[in-house]
Amino acid sequence: MAILRDETVKIRAREDIVRVRQIVREWSIAQRFSLVEQTKMITAASELARNTLEHGGGGEMRLEAFSDGAKPGLRLTFTDAGPGIPDIDQALKDGYSTGPGMGLGLGGSKRLVNDFKIFSRPGEGTTVTITRWRT
């Protein structure tokens, strides 16, 4: 797999969530994703950026555009140094929320992408990596 380009975006304020959406849209278009693929990736990115800010106290998103042969893709990694997630399985269940939201963010994001990885330790923060390939 060849990384074509990468960039890191800080997530420190609500305005950064809007910026994340814009950048993911631009990168999805550059990878020639269909409108449906773009929408799924932007929606997942928006939810994860919001989680990074609200639950993790801020962090960053790393974008990587890549090609695996003739198959282009986009990988986003969200990292924070927040309180972490004590029970990842429960956090992925629809309806579970530690805040005012509906509890659809993590599980919903997982359903919108081709690959979803999450690593978290209480007191050490959380890293979520999502990948989508162009079909």
Side-chain angles (χ1 to χ4, degrees), residues 45-123:
S46 181
E47 284 297 317
L48 294 173
R50 187 183 58 76
N51 282 353
T52 299
L53 181 63
E54 292 181 3
H55 299 289
E60 64 184 29
M61 172 187 69
R62 181 173 183 210
L63 299 95
E64 296 172 284
F66 63 88
S67 178
D68 192 3
K71 196 174 188 179
L74 187 58
R75 178 174 31 246
L76 310 176
T77 302
F78 295 83
T79 306
D80 68 60
I85 302 170
D87 187 339
I88 291 173
D89 290 335
Q90 179 153 5
L92 287 168
K93 289 181 181 172
D94 287 347
Y96 177 79
S97 178
T98 58
M102 295 173 47
L104 299 173
L106 281 178
S109 295
K110 183 176 181 179
R111 288 188 294 275
L112 292 171
V113 297
N114 300 117
D115 189 47
F116 180 97
K117 292 183 175 82
I118 184 168
F119 177 80
S120 187
R121 281 206 181 126

Side-chain angles (χ1 to χ4, degrees), residues 17-36:
I17 298 171
V18 174
R19 186 164 175 253
V20 162
R21 291 177 63 89
Q22 292 168 338
I23 292 169
V24 172
R25 178 180 305 280
E26 291 168 11
W27 282 51
S28 295
I29 290 169
Q31 288 295 82
R32 298 179 41 198
F33 282 11
S34 70
L35 184 57
V36 170

